[in-house]
Amino acid sequence: KKQHHDDESQKNGKKDRLEGSDRSQHNIIQLILNIFHRNSIIPFATMKAIFLLLSSLLISQYPGLQAWSPSFRKVHRHQHYFTTGSYNIKKAVNSPRPFATAPLANDKKMSIIEAAKKVPPPPIPFRDTSSFVLAGKLPPPETEAATPSSSPSPTPPLRQSPSSTNPLLSPPRPIPDPYGWLRDDSRTNQDVLDHLRAENEYGKQITSHLENLREELYEEMKSNIKETDYTTPVAKGKYWYYFKMQEGVSYPVYCRAPRKEGEMFHPPICEDWNANVASTNQLSSLMEGEEIYLDVPALAEDKPYLSVGTISISPNQEFLGYTLDLTGGETCQLSVKHISSGKEWVLYDVNEINVRKNIGGKVKAGVGGKDVSEPENGTDTTTTPLLECDGSVVWNDQNTAVFFVTMDEAHRPHRVYRRQVFKSDGSYVPPEQQKDELLLEERDELFNVRITKTFDGRFLIVRSSSKESSEVHYLK
């Protein structure tokens, strides 16, 4: 009886200890949740204590963790075993765990440690705790003007929605903006560029083990594409238009061939048009009388990035207008070209030209591809901003002017302009004599503007649309 009594007492004591351990663990978890719920900023010492407690709970359930983690082994020496009764895991402390792993061998431990040492630390951007933006009602102009010029930093920008029907906060409230310095629309801030390069380098190193897989997937996808190919010639006026692609070249070559009047089907394709690619690295003519009107691979030489926006042929098929994105920012520069002579010109911001002309500056007469018109007498090569547009371009019926769309500071296409670039005799209008005529401006920030031309070429279509509605304007 005494022995039985002692056994029962031992069992009851062990049960009490386990139940007390359950209650202790539940209290600890509840305490941690309360800390995170009531505090948005937790001191480092508190986070360290929470880490030790959570480590103890993990090791008590999965002892295999201490086999590979030195930090866990350190915590293990100072922790008490717990059982998680609140999560229906009631196991004796020394019972085997279903997910427990065997201790790792020394050589395995060393390989893991060496691999961990080779992983570079991620780049951490600077956190500017003093930076903020103001949200609420804009102050009157005199308030901003009254700001002392000796202030250590400029007035933080104000962010608000002008279309909001709700009353704005007054006075405006500061909103922390610790990483606002990373925004640089000019793409010239050296600190931002250095950080982006560091992130790219970190991404390459951390995924270097996938290099073979990337190459394998690339080759598999490329094997399903016929790289040396051409598009079906399309009839337009006096020519058949198409473009050709060559294996190993990332950009197409735009071509055209003469078309007889009333011809419905294109002439036969030259069978040996790609026969000399291996020896000369050049494609032969696809059709008789072929003419290259835009050599994109030549334009892309020595450029880190190039994307063609729009290619537009004038109604008389003598001039070409095209847009190029050279930065990847979806902002294009507009160029025009006389196809037969090969001369081409890139368009400038005429507003900046007029400003420089007023202050005595000089402007280039033309720049662009291989055959560029010579500067006029008395002109200098003073740098002038190029015209920036959304990438669309349309010719007028007289083959003298182009329509294009410019963007606002938020990169929203909002204005449609007309500019005369050629005279009636086909000569190019000098940049300082060019003028922009505003046809339409979309002031609603929810709408974007696009321009096209009808199939018969009689009307210019201006489409202003949002995600919910749209409207169309036309100009004959």
Side-chain angles (χ1 to χ4, degrees), residues 255-285:
C255 309
R256 67 182 184 181
R259 172 175 175 256
K260 297 179 181 179
E261 184 177 358
E263 192 173 28
M264 298 295 296
F265 302 98
H266 64 77
I269 303 298
C270 299
E271 296 182 357
D272 57 347
W273 70 278
N274 59 351
N276 300 326
V277 174
S279 58
T280 63
N281 197 29
Q282 290 183 352
L283 298 174
S284 301
S285 297

Side-chain angles (χ1 to χ4, degrees), residues 163-432:
S163 60
S164 175
T165 58
N166 297 321
L168 299 174
L169 297 174
S170 181
R173 296 181 184 178
I175 305 298
D177 190 24
Y179 301 109
W181 64 273
L182 284 171
R183 175 163 186 166
D184 176 35
D185 295 334
S186 65
R187 310 294 196 270
T188 57
N189 189 319
Q190 193 60 39
D191 293 335
V192 176
L193 296 177
D194 291 342
H195 178 73
L196 293 178
R197 293 189 185 100
E199 284 189 340
N200 292 337
E201 185 62 28
Y202 173 75
K204 290 180 181 179
Q205 295 183 21
I206 208 71
T207 60
S208 58
H209 62 287
L210 301 175
E211 183 63 33
N212 294 334
L213 177 60
R214 281 197 295 265
E215 187 66 23
E216 180 182 351
L217 293 175
Y218 173 72
E219 293 297 334
E220 179 181 350
M221 289 184 283
K222 194 171 67 171
S223 64
N224 297 322
I225 301 174
K226 187 178 179 181
E227 293 189 72
T228 302
D229 202 359
Y230 63 91
T231 59
T232 302
V234 176
K236 183 179 179 181
K238 300 179 293 184
Y239 295 92
W240 295 97
Y241 287 88
Y242 54 92
F243 66 81
K244 301 184 294 185
M245 292 291 297
Q246 181 179 341
E247 182 179 358
V249 180
S250 302
Y251 301 96
V253 177
Y254 291 86
C255 309
R256 67 182 184 181
R259 172 175 175 256
K260 297 179 181 179
E261 184 177 358
E263 192 173 28
M264 298 295 296
F265 302 98
H266 64 77
I269 303 298
C270 299
E271 296 182 357
D272 57 347
W273 70 278
N274 59 351
N276 300 326
V277 174
S279 58
T280 63
N281 197 29
Q282 290 183 352
L283 298 174
S284 301
S285 297
L286 187 71
M287 299 171 62
E288 186 177 355
E290 179 180 274
E291 178 185 12
I292 298 176
Y293 64 90
L294 186 62
D295 191 351
V296 183
L299 295 174
E301 290 180 358
D302 303 326
K303 291 183 176 63
Y305 177 87
L306 184 141
S307 177
V308 179
T310 301
I311 297 177
S312 179
I313 302 292
S314 63
N316 63 2
Q317 299 182 294
E318 295 182 5
F319 301 103
L320 168 70
Y322 64 94
T323 57
L324 298 177
D325 179 7
L326 302 179
T327 62
E330 298 183 356
T331 300
C332 299
Q333 67 180 38
L334 174 57
S335 301
V336 293
K337 178 179 180 179
H338 187 255
I339 298 178
S340 60
S341 66
K343 292 184 178 181
E344 55 185 292
W345 302 264
V346 63
L347 301 189
Y348 292 94
D349 187 345
V350 294
N351 295 325
E352 182 67 21
I353 290 177
N354 293 332
V355 170
R356 291 182 177 233
K357 191 164 62 172
N358 292 335
I359 62 176
K362 298 180 181 180
V363 187
K364 278 185 179 182
V367 299
K370 295 181 178 180
D371 296 325
V372 180
S373 62
E374 295 295 331
E376 295 180 347
N377 295 332
T379 59
D380 196 357
T381 57
T382 305
T383 303
T384 304
L386 300 176
L387 173 66
E388 295 183 347
C389 61
D390 72 332
S392 55
V393 55
V394 175
W395 287 91
N396 69 340
D397 289 341
Q398 290 76 31
N399 312 289
T400 57
V402 290
F403 302 92
F404 56 90
V405 180
T406 61
M407 297 178 289
D408 60 8
E409 295 179 355
H411 216 76
R412 178 183 66 94
H414 71 134
R415 289 177 179 173
V416 180
Y417 285 98
R418 175 188 180 275
R419 180 187 295 191
Q420 183 176 351
V421 292
F422 290 102
K423 300 177 182 179
S424 57
D425 59 357
S427 59
Y428 183 69
V429 178
E432 56 271 15

Side-chain angles (χ1 to χ4, degrees), residues 143-159:
T143 304
E144 294 184 353
T147 303
S149 58
S150 59
S151 58
S153 60
T155 303
L158 287 121
R159 305 288 171 83

Side-chain angles (χ1 to χ4, degrees), residues 427-476:
S427 59
Y428 183 69
V429 178
E432 56 271 15
Q433 298 180 13
Q434 297 178 11
K435 295 181 181 180
D436 288 342
E437 180 184 357
L438 178 62
L439 302 181
L440 183 141
E441 180 179 8
E442 179 56 78
R443 298 183 179 180
D444 193 329
E445 296 180 355
L446 299 179
F447 285 75
N448 295 333
V449 174
R450 295 289 185 270
I451 59 172
T452 55
K453 205 172 186 179
T454 55
F455 286 131
D456 59 4
R458 296 174 56 199
F459 297 94
L460 172 72
I461 302 298
V462 181
R463 179 183 176 88
S464 178
S465 60
S466 68
K467 293 184 178 180
E468 297 181 353
S469 62
S470 64
E471 63 184 27
V472 176
H473 304 258
Y474 67 93
L475 176 67
K476 188 173 181 179

